[in-house]
Amino acid sequence: MIRVLLVDDDALVRSGLRMMLTGAESVEVVGEAADGREVLGAVDLHRPDVVLMDIRMPQLDGIAATRLLLAQPDPPAVLVLTTFDADELVLRALQAGAAGFLLKDTPPAEIVRAIELVHAGDGMLSPTVTRRLISMVAGDSDAGVRAEHAASDWRRSARASATSPWPSAAARGTPRSPRRCTSPSRPSRAMSPDSSTSSRSTTASRSPCSCRPPASIEESAVPEPLNFLSLLTGSFATPAAENPTVAMVEAAYAHHGIGARYINCDVASEALGDAVRGARAMGWVGFNCSLPHKVAVVEHLDGLGESASVIGAVNCVVRREGRYIGENTDGQGFVEALRTVADPTCRSVVIFGAGGAARAVAVETALAGAARITIVNRDRARGAELVALLNEQTPTEAELVVWDGTHAVAEGTDIVVNATSIGLFPDVDARLDFDVETLRAGMVVADIIPNPPRTPLVRDAEERDCTVLDGLGMLVNQGVVGIRHWTGVDVDPTVMRRTVESLFGL
Ligand code: NDP
């Protein structure tokens, strides 16, 4: 029997997989973990031969967890099983040492066969992924055909050797794995204003879209063309006028036919409690919080998700079973954007700022494997608090530099991040007080200011041949995670990126 550990943050997906694998003769599920952080402990406890690893998890993602696990003596094989099929993710999973990469819609028999193969020491990619990679690498027209033959052979072999079908949908429940929607659809307006996000009844029969429709949108008795209620989401911040999130999120809603609105609200600090009560009264399914409410909002909520409680700040509130729960998606959004230009693993990172955004960026960068993080902040106490958090709750070594004069970026620094509000509209010419000559060619320089994206720091770094990341990548990625929380739909980030780029004339 091949001993298998299931790692996925979604309990329903884990139970669906467990039920499916229970029928297989060659495989035994010996344990489960709900986050990348739990993997090492679960492997120690259950001694699996193969780990079925999800990628996106709240604290430590599956790729970082794979890297950590495979650095241990005598590790099990890792088979990544995910809904996300981006080429970059496949490459990163393989670079981390995963023996295989499968999509969650792979038929059960093929999953069992893949487990057998990686246990036998072979590599395994799902046929779709194989086809794309071969085409990408070979760049010739026969590659796809050859891969298609390989895929058919694989399917035949899987059918012949694996015995376990998925249990019936009724028996296994409906796994809540987000699916990327590939086709725009007609807006579905049918919904109930007081529907809870825990409700999973949907409008599947109406939508021509191939993805699972928004989980929080319920069928209403009102015929669709005559139902004018929208699912309500939005943002509370001040200032708010410069924030382009509304345009980006509504572009995604329109593209995917999600019957929802995003309302950008300028909310003063003293009005925050009333704003949250108003959102409750109107049945909003969630909202973003930005400057200066990310910490203050906590006292108006009913609980915190794991990311927000570690980071100590909330940028995304989600209604679950009628309760407002604070989440933090900023850091995940930043690290996903960072990974498009550099892997933070084992890197030395300097972060300017120690506010809400800096905390999120620092914690997630640390959890993504950064070796050292230097926090440069004006306010000593705020900076020291963040450094203590990093040293106590992440494996990274962190130190504080109090920012009381022109800062010189230390030699050996790989990544520099501006996580202060310096450069934000309308103060667009404001510069960080640091010696730009200490930026060196090849360094990665990231500015999280989304408006304008081309900040003085971005321009200075480009002139010095640094690899530059603007604030739009983070903005888009945290938006994708927020929409997933509110609606259950995993939207296409390119639609959102194109929208904000066109707004800024990029
Ligand atoms: P906070 O108010 O919580 O923190 C602001 C930080 O900036 C503090 O560390 C503060 O230092 C520092 N700071 C501000 N002005 C100066 C200055 N003149 N000199 C030195 N340090 C300064 O804000 P947030 O962390 O919530 O937001 C910071 C920025 O991040 C905002 O501009 C926001 O737009 C951006 N952001 C971008 C996102 C994206 O998706 N791209 C997502 C989230 C935020 P001190 O502690 O000393 O006061």
Side-chain angles (χ1 to χ4, degrees):
M1 277 290 211
I2 305 170
R3 296 167 63 81
V4 173
L5 176 76
L6 306 176
V7 183
D8 198 302
D9 60 330
D10 190 325
L12 283 172
V13 171
R14 293 199 306 275
S15 74
L17 281 167
R18 184 181 272 277
M19 291 180 78
M20 181 274 282
L21 292 173
T22 300
E25 281 170 5
S26 55
V27 170
E28 176 192 10
V29 176
V30 292
E32 296 181 11
D35 188 80
R37 275 187 177 180
E38 296 172 13
V39 167
L40 290 188
V43 165
D44 262 358
L45 186 66
H46 301 294
R47 302 271 162 214
D49 302 306
V50 175
V51 175
L52 269 190
M53 181 85 82
D54 187 22
I55 288 192
R56 286 207 188 165
M57 289 179 282
Q59 295 298 313
L60 187 67
D61 73 36
I63 290 175
T66 298
R67 205 177 287 117
L68 274 178
L69 179 59
L70 297 184
Q72 308 301 310
D74 194 21
V78 175
L79 179 58
V80 169
L81 186 62
T82 176
T83 44
F84 302 101
D85 67 345
D87 299 333
E88 182 241 337
L89 279 185
V90 180
L91 292 175
R92 279 186 29 231
L94 298 181
Q95 281 163 353
F101 189 103
L102 287 184
L103 300 178
K104 279 182 184 162
D105 59 5
T106 303
E110 295 179 17
I111 295 179
V112 173
R113 180 71 184 131
I115 292 171
E116 292 166 348
L117 281 175
V118 298
H119 180 241
D122 291 328
M124 176 56 223
L125 293 180
S126 77
T128 321
V129 171
T130 310
R131 199 159 42 242
R132 270 213 326 273
L133 283 186
I134 291 177
S135 304
M136 199 171 88
V137 174
D140 74 90
S141 54
D142 292 341
V145 175
R146 284 199 305 275
E148 187 54 63
H149 289 157
S152 307
D153 290 349
W154 148 255
R155 285 198 189 94
R156 264 197 304 279
S157 129
R159 271 197 297 274
S161 62
T163 52
S164 90
W166 286 94
S168 72
R172 71 172 191 264
T174 310
R176 187 180 52 84
S177 52
R179 303 285 306 269
R180 173 148 297 156
C181 174
T182 50
S183 61
S185 71
R186 187 165 52 109
S188 164
R189 296 210 196 91
M191 65 197 68
S192 153
D194 59 352
S195 64
S196 155
T197 51
S198 66
S199 168
R200 298 288 161 201
S201 62
T202 65
T203 57
S205 60
R206 287 203 182 161
S207 172
C209 175
S210 60
C211 75
R212 189 171 60 76
S216 50
I217 298 177
E218 293 186 341
E219 276 295 1
S220 128
V222 182
E224 185 176 353
L226 296 178
N227 187 332
F228 302 102
L229 273 178
S230 297
L231 200 71
L232 293 177
T233 61
S235 171
F236 298 160
T238 187
E242 88 303 335
N243 187 343
T245 306
V246 54
M248 176 183 94
V249 171
E250 291 219 324
Y253 287 165
H255 178 79
H256 291 285
I258 300 170
R261 299 304 307 271
Y262 187 98
I263 300 159
N264 189 26
C265 306
D266 195 320
V267 175
S269 291
E270 58 278 14
L272 182 61
D274 286 342
V276 176
R277 276 187 290 280
R280 281 184 204 277
M282 290 182 278
W284 286 33
V285 293
F287 51 89
N288 287 127
C289 275
S290 194
L291 226 60
H293 304 318
K294 287 184 179 174
V295 175
V297 76
V298 172
E299 67 174 283
H300 305 293
L301 303 180
D302 305 306
L304 294 182
E306 232 177 335
S307 58
S309 63
V310 174
I311 292 163
V314 168
N315 77 313
C316 180
V317 174
V318 188
R319 194 178 64 184
R320 297 198 179 108
E321 294 169 357
R323 300 169 76 234
Y324 276 156
I325 305 298
E327 296 283 355
N328 197 306
T329 61
D330 278 340
Q332 291 167 43
F334 173 78
V335 168
E336 275 183 34
L338 179 62
R339 282 192 170 129
T340 62
V341 296
D343 184 346
T345 312
C346 300
R347 300 300 180 96
S348 180
V349 183
V350 169
I351 298 176
F352 289 98
R359 288 173 75 93
V361 165
V363 167
E364 294 291 349
T365 305
L367 292 176
R372 264 174 312 284
I373 295 184
T374 303
I375 299 295
V376 182
N377 199 53
R378 205 171 44 170
D379 181 311
R380 177 187 291 274
R382 217 173 181 191
E385 197 186 313
L386 175 53
V387 165
L389 167 69
L390 294 171
N391 283 328
E392 283 159 23
Q393 301 213 26
T394 77
T396 299
E397 227 175 79
E399 62 161 358
L400 172 66
V401 173
V402 177
W403 199 2
D404 51 9
T406 304
H407 181 78
V409 174
E411 271 199 46
T413 300
D414 303 301
I415 300 171
V416 176
V417 186
N418 173 33
T420 73
S421 43
I422 299 171
L424 185 66
F425 182 90
D427 208 1
V428 299
D429 295 323
R431 285 176 182 273
L432 302 177
D433 184 10
F434 85 109
D435 180 0
V436 286
E437 297 307 327
T438 56
L439 292 184
R440 293 166 199 92
M443 269 183 184
V444 173
V445 176
D447 198 330
I448 70 164
I449 296 294
N451 181 10
R454 288 189 56 73
T455 57
L457 176 63
V458 163
R459 294 197 299 268
D460 287 342
E462 279 173 354
E463 276 170 22
R464 281 159 186 78
D465 290 331
C466 300
T467 301
V468 176
L469 194 66
D470 66 29
L472 295 186
M474 174 175 173
L475 184 75
V476 166
N477 292 336
Q478 59 84 26
V480 169
V481 181
I483 296 174
R484 186 189 307 142
H485 276 311
W486 298 326
T487 70
V489 176
D490 214 26
V491 296
D492 181 352
T494 57
V495 172
M496 298 163 80
R497 175 93 203 182
R498 270 201 307 270
T499 304
V500 280
E501 281 182 350
S502 74
L503 287 173
F504 291 116
L506 298 177

